Amino acid sequence: MINDKVTAYKNEILNLKQSMPEMAEAYHHFTGVCFREGELDEKTKQLIALGIGLFANNELCTFYHMEEARSKGATEAEIMEAVAVASAASAGHALSQGLTRGQHHLQ
């Protein structure tokens, strides 16, 4: 089921290339540059993207970047640690926004 969703996304990208080739190529170039090794290695970049996918509640991105992280050598422990970090950041986001907005509104 997960692979079906990732495959369906990749197929839609191919459709996008047919209907909007310049935009599809620009997006492909942009993401390619962003995800290739630089100051951060490719595995770390995929773990960051996994955390963002989780935070955004984007199932497809979560599965896609988990698969990519594994293909770049991420261990199960590294993936679960990225999940924990995303969870902590998400909780911190809710807490900081709740406190600042809530306190302001309650006063």
Side-chain angles (χ1 to χ4, degrees):
M1 180 166 154
I2 294 167
N3 288 335
D4 293 342
K5 290 181 179 185
V6 172
T7 299
Y9 168 72
K10 289 178 179 180
N11 288 338
E12 289 305 320
I13 291 293
L14 292 175
N15 291 336
L16 182 65
K17 285 182 181 181
Q18 292 174 354
S19 62
M20 302 178 77
E22 280 188 70
M23 198 274 296
E25 183 56 36
Y27 177 75
H28 179 71
H29 177 74
F30 173 69
T31 57
V33 170
C34 289
F35 280 96
R36 80 176 159 223
E37 187 159 350
E39 296 300 317
L40 298 173
D41 62 60
E42 291 178 338
K43 177 178 76 172
T44 300
K45 290 181 177 192
Q46 290 299 331
L47 291 170
I48 291 168
L50 169 61
I52 292 168
L54 288 165
F55 181 79
N57 197 28
N58 185 319
E59 181 183 45
L60 181 58
C61 282
T62 299
F63 294 140
Y64 178 81
H65 291 293
M66 188 175 293
E67 191 177 284
E68 286 296 306
R70 289 194 72 113
S71 78
K72 304 297 182 201
T75 65
E76 184 176 326
E78 289 171 320
I79 289 171
M80 294 312 297
E81 189 169 336
V83 169
V85 169
S87 177
S90 298
H93 173 74
L95 181 63
S96 68
Q97 294 303 304
L99 289 175
T100 57
R101 293 177 186 177
Q103 291 298 328
H104 178 74
H105 180 72
L106 294 173
Q107 293 176 356

